[in-house]
């Protein structure tokens, strides 16, 4: 403690900027971790909160993915003695058409008995939720609104509001208001309740409910009730507690979680390098103090403790600041992420503020502190081992000995060899990821040598640009690799991440375009909402022939996309008339004869899997899908696999005949419309809208606009690349500012001599600028190289674990080249302040330095 | 309507022979093969706001083996909404509601029988017609209610018979063998009170033409008046089916 007070504190005060940069390194890593996880948790919590509030006192829910539960199942469930209450539910999200209010979660319930499961009003019954329950049930336009939503929009009992429904915009009468807690607090308070049978009609559910909520009978334990209900409804239905819906949400947003974890890990790794860099520099500058301390009797352990305590304190302070910044980031990111989750997965939630578990916050602070200790460990150990005699000598501390370099190179080569062996043999995915880690470590170990060689090759170029300043800048780099290696490694890592992600994005994008070209080839698409993933509304199948009668239309293909339970986890089923679609879309399986596959699928004898689903669930051609259905577990053989982007977690195609027979669902989510030759898509589009304007709410997309929509969703996902690029830039700037500040301090005498012998101020500036640009360039070149390796691993991870896509390895040259001006510009900006600081130094003091 | 509300709240099974005889006699005197009336419901909430509804009521059969249809006729927003009730001797009744605006019928689940009947102070269970054998009872003594001497009895559902009420107190006029007051309890709390008035002899059956139901917790009141009351009218079984409910006949 005394050492910290006497030595560390004065150093921190003297080098405020560097101390701030050290804190900023940790802060950045922790902020990215907290920001990404915070936004993700906020969205997940908002979903869970909505689920919990809607569930009310329900202990179990009977559901069948998105296929719904037939009405007769309700009676069967209600007949179970161990069930105290069973109430049907329909859940849908409507556009409010009210400025700034967004969507409204509409819950269809049976008000004659739903109150045994959900609280609608003030306890004690001092006020009715609905003025006249009979009128509420008798009139299908009846709506109960949350008081919060009503007050925010000046709505009172008796007011009429217009909502978009399957039958087009319709007026609803507000016949009741709910207090703003309990159920009314779900979905950020944007909640409405309507009669379940009116909801069936309005949302096109036919004679189905979305699920049945259950409360166990008095004195009956949950498990008994669950088993009895299971026995009655059969294996085709899930009978689970409401909380399981959040687990299913986790399952369908798995890719997002993996991406967030990867980004967070990289951000923290970069934090390690920034801390390492700062502490290496601090120890270099304070080697005299360390020498004196050691000469006065301080032990190696004392010195080690002092520096570890410094790094722990910096880590803790940086983590706390990072936590604050991260929470702000999470607040800004969560609406974006909520929107992305809604578009990608079709789930609904409305984040309000930031919800983050105290455990995650504690973990962030602990991780930040640990990262700081890891980053500070090597410099601290090196400080502890300083020979007091050598430390008190002025010398070439920044030079790495050839022996030290050789050891690093050998270790790197060994690690790389092991990693390559793992790639070749690939025993398990976990070992493959371990191999990836080894390869990253190998490249980090190799980075000083590589930096040295790149700096050597840059020397002639820098000399060509500025003979004196260029040579000085290059030599400074070459002679002091310890000073620059951590910065270079941090820049390398962050750019490698960005390059790897950009490469994968590009490869996915290319495959997506191919899929869009092959599969999404109709001239028009008819959908009930503006979003292709939104499945609240459905059309009756009978609309197929109605659209076909519109002049100019040649063929209409009905599509039903629905999540069904595949071994307890939802999987997207794409229901089409396979033979009809195959007439227009060339199915290209990767492992089957296309003619035979289409033939069998069209006869309802099997399913065509997306490669993503096959990889994620470990299913291959010839296996049998076990799907939960009203008939129990339906066994569907896998006929083949093909690339299909219908759903991020994979999808499978089955024929309409099979689906209708088993699920008895005669609805569609969309129609694919092909036009007669020579017809103007825009004109036919208008005709379809006109034909249904009086009785249907629908959106007709042209081929170009649906492509644009899909690409926009995809780009939103790839927007993560920009976050990583931003992190990379901040790392580059911070690292270079730090390194250049030290470089100038180390070279005060050299720069002083240059000025003394007539060197111009601009020459000093140019020297500093060129050195900074050279550091950026070395980091960039290494980032390009490591990016190539990262890209390989990313593609293998995407192919083998995350998405099951067989992506082509194509290096993103355009993106990589675009990084050049960005990094060079950032390096130049980072050097501006240190260059001016160098000019401000006293010439006499500089010449006396050392 | 009082014909099936009374036994629902107060039907008594024997634990003391006198009490059993009283209730059986009351049930016997009230027996008819069918019933028709037009009713008016006035619901007064805690703030004295009043809502009025009218409906037609038909019943065929009697005590625990009957079918009834209740069809609302006014106001316009609820016209056509109907309720079909099938009462059973051995179990709780089946009930369906018909909503003409969406052309749908819905089954009222057993779990929902304790909820209020469309905003009135009756519950769905109160609409069930149960045999007196569904309850146990005991005679508590005699009391004068509104000038008439009455037997005071306590009834409790027999084991295995589900009811929202744990017990009820019932007053039966000694001169008419007609119910004049019922107080229903959930655990030890009084939740509902019914008063009967305007007695009239229709085809030999003494019937209260006015019922006042008070929800003690909510402090609200529903007053029901019976017009065009008639017994043993010719009604067809086919008029008491789901198909008939949907047809609106």
């Amino acid at each position: 403690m005394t050492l910290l007070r006497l030595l560390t504190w004065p150093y921190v005060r003297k080098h405020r900027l560097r101390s701030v940069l050290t804190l900023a390194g940790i802060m950045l890593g922790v902020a990215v971790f907290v920001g990404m996880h915070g936004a993700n948790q906020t969205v997940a919590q908002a979903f869970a909160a909505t689920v919990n509030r809607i569930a009310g006192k329900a202990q179990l829910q009977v559901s069948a993915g998105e296929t719904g539960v037939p009405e007769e199942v309700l009676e069967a469930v209600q007949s179970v003695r161990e069930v105290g209450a069973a109430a049907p539910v329909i859940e849908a999200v409507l556009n409010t058409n009210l400025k700034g209010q967004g969507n409204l979660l509409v819950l269809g319930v049976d008000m004659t008995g739903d109150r045994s499961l959900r609280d609608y009003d003030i306890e004690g019954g001092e006020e009715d939720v609905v003025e006249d329950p009979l009128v509420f049930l008798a009139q299908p336009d009846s709506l109960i609104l949350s008081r919060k939503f009503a007050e925010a929009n000046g709505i009172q009992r008796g007011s009429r509001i217009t909502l978009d429904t399957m039958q087009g915009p319709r007026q609803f009468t507000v016949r009741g208001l709910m207090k703003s807690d309990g159920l009314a607090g779900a979905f950020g308070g944007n909640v409405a309740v309507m009669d379940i049978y009116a909801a069936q009609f309005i949302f096109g559910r036919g004679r189905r409910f979305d699920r049945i909520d259950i409360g166990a009978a008095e004195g009956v334990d949950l498990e008994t009730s669950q088993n009895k209900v299971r026995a009655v409804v059969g294996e085709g239905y899930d009978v689970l507690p409401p909380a399981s819906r959040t687990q299913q949400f986790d399952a369908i947003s798995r890719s997002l979680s993996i991406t967030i974890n990867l980004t967070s890990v990289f951000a923290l790794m970069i934090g390690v390098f920034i801390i390492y860099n700062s502490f290496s520099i601090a120890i270099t500058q304070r080697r005299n103090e360390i020498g004196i301390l050691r000469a006065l009797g301080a032990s190696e352990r004392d010195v080690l403790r002092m520096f570890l305590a410094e790094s722990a304190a910096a880590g803790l302070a940086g983590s706390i600041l990072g936590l604050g910044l991260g929470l702000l980031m999470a607040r800004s990111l969560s609406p974006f992420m909520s929107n992305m989750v809604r578009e990608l997965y079709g789930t609904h939630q409305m984040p309000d503020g930031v919800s983050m578990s105290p455990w995650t916050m504690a973990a962030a602070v602990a991780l930040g502190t640990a990262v700081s200790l890891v980053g500070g460990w090597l410099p601290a150990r090196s400080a502890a081992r300083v020979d007091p005699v050598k430390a008190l000598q002025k010398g070439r501390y920044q030079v790495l000995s050839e022996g030290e370099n050789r050891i690093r190179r050998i270790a790197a080569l060994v690690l790389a060899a092991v990693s390559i062996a793992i790639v070749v043999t690939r025993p398990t995915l976990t070992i493959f990821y371990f191999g990836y880690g080894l390869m990253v470590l190998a490249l980090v170990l190799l980075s000083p040598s590589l930096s040295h060689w790149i700096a050597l090759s840059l020397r002639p170029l820098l000399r060509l640009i500025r003979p004196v300043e260029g040579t000085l800048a290059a030599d400074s780099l070459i002679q002091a690799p310890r000073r620059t290696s951590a910065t270079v490694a941090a820049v390398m890592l962050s750019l490698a991440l960005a390059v790897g992600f950009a490469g994968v994005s590009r490869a996915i994008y290319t495959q997506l375009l191919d899929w869009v070209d092959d599969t999404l080839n109709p001239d028009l698409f008819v959908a009930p909402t503006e979003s292709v993933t939104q499945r609240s509304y459905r059309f009756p199948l009978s609309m197929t022939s109605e659209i076909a009668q519109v002049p100019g239309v040649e063929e209409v293909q009905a599509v039903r996309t629905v999540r069904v339970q595949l071994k307890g986890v939802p999987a997207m089923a794409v229901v089409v008339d396979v033979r009809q679609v195959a007439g227009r879309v060339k199915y290209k399986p990767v492992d089957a004869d296309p003619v035979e596959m289409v033939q069998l699928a069209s006869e309802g004898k099997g399913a065509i899997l997306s490669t993503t689903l096959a990889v994620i669930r470990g299913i291959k051609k010839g296996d049998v899908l076990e799907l939960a259905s009203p008939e129990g577990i339906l066994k569907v053989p896998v006929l083949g696999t093909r690339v299909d982007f219908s759903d991020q977690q994979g999808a499978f195609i089955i024929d309409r005949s099979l689906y209708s027979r088993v699920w008895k669902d005669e609805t569609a989510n969309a129609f694919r419309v092909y036009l007669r030759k020579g017809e103007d898509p825009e004109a036919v589009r208008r005709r379809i809208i006109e034909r249904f304007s009086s009785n249907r709410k629908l959106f007709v997309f042209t081929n170009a606009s649906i492509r644009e929509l899909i690409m926009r969703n995809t780009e939103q996902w790839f927007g993560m690349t920009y976050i990583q690029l931003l992190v990379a830039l901040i790392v580059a700037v911070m690292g270079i500012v730090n390194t250049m500040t030290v470089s100038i301090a180390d070279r005060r005498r050299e720069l002083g001599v240059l000025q003394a012998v007539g060197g111009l101020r601009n020459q000093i500036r140019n020297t500093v600028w060129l050195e900074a640009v050279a550091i950026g360039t070395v980091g960039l070149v290494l980032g390009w190289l490591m990016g190539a390796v990262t890209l390989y691993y990313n593609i293998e991870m995407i192919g083998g674990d995350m998405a099951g896509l067989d992506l082509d390895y194509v290096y993103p040259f355009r993106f990589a080249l675009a990084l050049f001006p960005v990094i060079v510009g950032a390096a130049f900006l980072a050097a501006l302040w240190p260059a001016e600081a160098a000019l401000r130094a006293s010439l006499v003091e500089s010449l006396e330095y050392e | 309507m009082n014909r099936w509300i009374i036994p629902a709240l107060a039907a008594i099974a024997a634990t003391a022979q006198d009490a059993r005889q009283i209730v059986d006699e009351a049930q016997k005197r009230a027996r008819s093969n069918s019933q028709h009336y037009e009713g008016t419901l006035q619901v007064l909430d805690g703030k004295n706001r009043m809502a009025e509804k009218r409906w037609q009521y038909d019943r065929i059969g009697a005590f625990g083996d009957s079918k009834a249809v209740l069809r609302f006729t006014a106001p316009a927003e609820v016209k056509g909404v109907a309720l079909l009730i099938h009462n059973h001797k051995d179990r709780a009744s089946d009930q369906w509601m018909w909503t003409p605006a969406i052309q749908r019928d819905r089954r009222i689940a057993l779990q929902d029988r304790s909820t209020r009947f469309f905003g009135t102070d009756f519950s769905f269970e109160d609409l069930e017609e149960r045999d007196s054998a569904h309850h146990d009872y005991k005679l508590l003594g005699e009391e004068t209610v509104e000038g008439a001497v009455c037997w005071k009895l306590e009834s409790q559902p027999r084991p295995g018979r589900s009811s929202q009420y744990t017990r009820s107190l019932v007053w039966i006029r000694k001169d008419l063998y007609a119910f004049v007051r019922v107080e229903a309890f959930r655990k030890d709390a009084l939740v509902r009170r019914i008063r009967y008035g305007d007695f009239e002899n229709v085809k030999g059956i003494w019937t209260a033409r006015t019922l006042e139901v008070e929800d003690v917790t909510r402090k609200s009141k529903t007053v029901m008046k019976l017009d065009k009351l008639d017994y043993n009218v010719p009604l067809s079984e086919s008029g008491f089916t789901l198909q008939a409910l949907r047809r609106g006949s």
Side-chain angles (χ1 to χ4, degrees), chain B residues 1-238:
Chain B
M1 195 177 197
N2 57 336
R3 291 295 309 279
W4 33 266
I5 292 167
I6 297 160
L9 291 168
I12 304 163
T15 52
Q17 189 56 35
D18 287 348
R20 152 66 70 192
Q21 282 173 348
I22 293 163
V23 177
D24 282 351
E25 183 60 26
Q27 187 166 305
K28 190 178 141 197
R29 290 187 184 206
R31 179 174 287 277
S32 64
N33 294 330
S34 64
Q35 185 190 24
H36 169 86
Y37 68 78
E38 288 178 14
T40 308
L41 266 180
Q42 291 177 329
V43 183
L44 279 110
D45 67 12
K47 291 172 185 165
N48 265 338
R49 288 178 299 197
M50 195 182 78
E52 189 174 289
K53 291 183 186 77
R54 294 189 62 80
W55 76 93
Q56 284 186 355
Y57 174 80
D58 289 304
R59 167 178 58 81
I60 192 166
F63 295 114
D65 189 16
S66 62
K67 291 170 184 170
V69 170
L70 187 156
R71 204 175 290 277
F72 286 90
T73 53
E77 299 104 295
V78 301
K79 192 178 175 184
V81 173
L83 193 74
L84 171 67
I85 305 159
H86 284 188
N87 292 304
H88 307 290
K89 271 192 177 300
D90 55 342
R91 59 188 163 95
S93 66
D94 292 314
Q95 297 180 358
W96 295 269
M97 179 192 172
W98 170 253
T99 316
I102 49 170
Q103 294 285 296
R104 284 299 311 268
D105 52 80
R106 75 181 75 202
R107 197 174 193 281
I108 311 289
L110 191 63
Q111 74 198 31
D112 306 333
R113 305 297 163 85
S114 62
T115 58
R116 292 167 63 207
F117 173 64
F118 303 138
T120 69
D121 292 290
F122 294 107
S123 70
F124 282 91
E125 185 188 338
D126 298 338
L127 305 186
E128 291 179 5
E129 186 192 52
R130 288 189 184 179
D131 197 294
S132 60
H134 291 184
H135 287 72
D136 290 329
Y137 73 95
K138 67 179 174 189
L139 184 61
L140 300 178
E142 290 184 8
E143 273 182 17
T144 303
V145 178
E146 294 182 5
V149 183
C150 299
W151 286 294
K152 184 182 179 184
L153 301 101
E154 185 189 65
S155 79
Q156 279 186 318
R158 282 192 155 180
R161 298 285 175 186
S162 65
S163 173
Q164 62 182 305
Y165 307 119
T166 43
R167 68 184 179 100
S168 299
L169 294 176
V170 182
W171 287 262
I172 299 174
R173 263 176 78 155
K174 291 180 84 170
D175 55 347
L176 304 179
Y177 276 88
F179 290 82
V180 290
R181 186 185 294 173
V182 175
E183 288 182 353
F185 293 80
R186 208 173 289 150
K187 293 183 178 163
D188 286 328
L190 175 65
V191 290
R192 197 158 281 146
R193 181 182 289 125
I194 306 178
R195 291 190 182 90
Y196 300 79
D198 298 338
F199 284 94
E200 189 184 316
N201 192 317
V202 180
K203 289 188 176 173
I205 298 171
W206 282 99
T207 314
R209 302 195 76 123
T210 304
L211 279 84
E212 191 181 290
V213 185
E214 185 188 347
D215 187 321
V216 178
T217 321
R218 288 168 38 84
K219 296 183 179 67
S220 57
K221 205 190 299 179
T222 299
V223 177
M224 186 168 82
K225 289 182 192 299
L226 276 58
D227 296 315
K228 298 182 185 172
L229 176 66
D230 203 358
Y231 290 110
N232 298 320
V233 289
L235 292 170
S236 165
E237 281 274 351
S238 61

